[in-house]
Amino acid sequence: MRVAITLEQCWHDVPGGTGVYGVELARELAHIVDTVGVAGRHGRAATKGFAPPVTMTSLPVGGPLLYEGWLRLGWPRVEGATGAVDVVHSTSIIPAATALPLVVTVHDLAFLHDPSHFTARGVRVFRRSMELVKRKATRIICVSRTTFDDCVANGFPMDRLKHVPNGVRSVEVSAGAVETVIAKLGIPREFLLFVGTVEPRKNLARLIEAHASLGDRVPELVIAGAAGWGGDNSLVDANNSRVRFLGFVPDAELNCLYSAATAVCYPSIREGFGLPILEAMSHGAPVVTSRGGATEEVAGGAAELVDALDVGSIADGILRALANRDELSGRGRQRAAEMSWKRTAELTRDVYVEAIADFPGRRA
């Protein structure tokens, strides 16, 4: 089997969770199937930290022009650049142009529920993509049961939907490496950590308010993540020395932050999965995250759950996490051990086999 996997998001300014998904899935797929990466033509390297781990081939255009070509013209076809492949996998909701079996991963449908959390152009692109996926995809991967159910509720063909959860890559870090990173970033030895793109649906305003309400009872709050759409560092008062934004943090340093964090706080309003939850757990960090939806699903009973819209609930969850740190650490490590990108790749390969076998009937 030869698979073409789209990795255009690796060139986005903020690749986010779909970028992590594409890179980690491609890395593991390459061990079990012949995998070629596909992206548009770019005059620069991939965004720092998102270099594709597989051999790449380039389409004639990239960025917004590529997406518009796929959505409006059905061009350029992936196989025109890759040569013979058996299946094409679009790793975001924007479906690649192809005449071959097409697998598309849908991470979430948040743009339907919270359009104000996205740019107007982004919502238009996602809506057009969704309708094309319904019509053209041979198989549709949903990264969580929450997303699966949302797709069913919004008219996706249930017989083509497959639930394939994301994974986590466990990375060991030495005590020396942790000390070096803490010193470099000027972070205290105890701190609360948020990891994710700084954008409205990540709920940072309420997290910061909850943190402030606890005063000196809790450590400093550290926010690691690139600024996305609507990201607003003015959330932090200029005189507030107990909250600091680090911006984008490379993987090697981020793993050290997870390992050192007193607790990881991730009270996001809506997620398709919530990768930082598993990443934190793999390092033994206790986690505070949102009740309901994909975040509770991913936490798997190993995190303190809070009402994301209630500042008091978030504050109470932080205190509980600190009080139950050792227990949460053990449960979290066990939960992370149940999930792996290797398993995700194996399940994805099974979806490819189904898509190839079903393709003639689907196109008829």
Side-chain angles (χ1 to χ4, degrees):
M1 185 192 303
R2 188 166 192 251
V3 177
I5 181 170
T6 68
L7 296 171
E8 176 67 15
Q9 65 269 39
C10 292
W11 278 263
H12 291 182
D13 291 338
V14 184
T18 62
V20 175
Y21 171 83
V23 168
E24 295 294 348
L25 178 61
R27 189 193 317 277
E28 291 299 328
L29 278 175
H31 295 303
I32 57 176
V33 297
D34 185 2
T35 306
V36 57
V38 180
R41 194 175 302 280
H42 297 276
R44 61 176 177 85
T47 299
K48 185 177 180 181
F50 291 88
V54 293
T55 300
M56 295 294 296
T57 187
S58 294
L59 296 165
V61 294
L65 287 177
L66 176 60
Y67 292 148
E68 288 299 312
W70 280 349
L71 293 175
R72 295 184 182 276
L73 305 174
W75 175 91
R77 286 185 175 178
V78 167
E79 56 269 30
T82 62
V85 293
D86 298 294
V87 63
V88 173
H89 183 178
S90 290
T91 56
S92 76
I93 197 172
I94 301 173
T98 181
L100 300 171
L102 174 64
V103 174
V104 178
T105 296
V106 176
H107 297 270
D108 62 70
L109 299 180
F111 57 90
L112 294 180
H113 304 284
D114 304 300
S116 65
H117 290 175
F118 301 85
T119 64
R121 179 185 176 278
V123 172
R124 290 195 300 270
V125 167
F126 293 148
R127 282 183 174 273
R128 291 209 311 270
S129 297
M130 181 179 72
E131 295 306 319
L132 278 176
V133 170
K134 289 178 184 179
R135 297 202 309 268
K136 295 189 173 184
T138 318
R139 286 292 184 274
I140 302 159
I141 289 175
C142 302
V143 299
S144 63
R145 180 58 61 177
T146 299
T147 296
F148 184 103
D149 292 343
D150 207 5
C151 284
V152 172
N154 283 280
F156 283 74
M158 190 170 180
D159 64 324
R160 285 185 265 156
L161 293 173
K162 304 296 290 187
H163 173 217
V164 178
N166 290 342
V168 66
R169 180 160 55 102
S170 296
V171 179
E172 294 294 329
V173 295
S174 68
V178 171
E179 290 295 327
T180 298
V181 169
I182 293 300
K184 174 185 173 182
L185 298 177
I187 294 173
R189 291 187 177 275
E190 293 204 351
F191 61 94
L192 303 178
L193 178 66
F194 167 87
V195 176
T197 306
V198 180
E199 58 187 15
R201 69 184 176 128
K202 299 302 183 182
N203 206 27
L204 280 173
R206 289 188 183 89
L207 174 58
I208 290 170
E209 186 178 349
H211 178 262
S213 74
L214 295 172
D216 292 338
R217 288 186 289 170
V218 297
E220 178 178 313
L221 175 62
V222 173
I223 297 170
W229 178 80
D232 185 5
N233 286 15
S234 68
L235 288 169
V236 182
D237 184 272
N239 296 319
N240 186 355
S241 61
R242 287 180 43 76
V243 180
R244 71 178 75 186
F245 285 81
L246 298 180
F248 172 77
V249 177
D251 278 351
E253 294 184 3
L254 185 58
N255 286 317
C256 290
L257 291 182
Y258 278 132
S259 182
T262 309
V264 172
C265 304
Y266 196 73
S268 183
I269 294 173
R270 186 182 295 275
E271 292 288 334
F273 191 82
L275 285 169
I277 296 169
L278 283 185
E279 291 169 348
M281 288 178 173
S282 73
H283 288 280
V287 174
V288 179
T289 194
S290 309
R291 181 181 297 111
T295 49
E296 181 173 352
E297 177 185 340
V298 172
E304 290 293 344
L305 301 176
V306 302
D307 180 347
L309 302 181
D310 185 330
V311 170
S313 177
I314 297 171
D316 289 344
I318 293 172
L319 292 178
R320 291 196 306 273
L322 296 180
N324 301 318
R325 185 179 181 187
D326 290 343
E327 179 187 353
L328 287 172
S329 177
R331 284 159 49 194
R333 285 187 186 276
Q334 183 177 353
R335 173 59 173 163
E338 297 169 358
M339 315 288 280
S340 72
W341 286 114
K342 180 177 183 290
R343 174 172 175 265
T344 301
E346 290 170 347
L347 293 173
T348 301
R349 176 193 54 193
D350 294 343
V351 176
Y352 297 158
V353 172
E354 283 190 21
I356 293 166
D358 193 39
F359 182 65
R362 178 66 58 196
R363 288 302 187 219

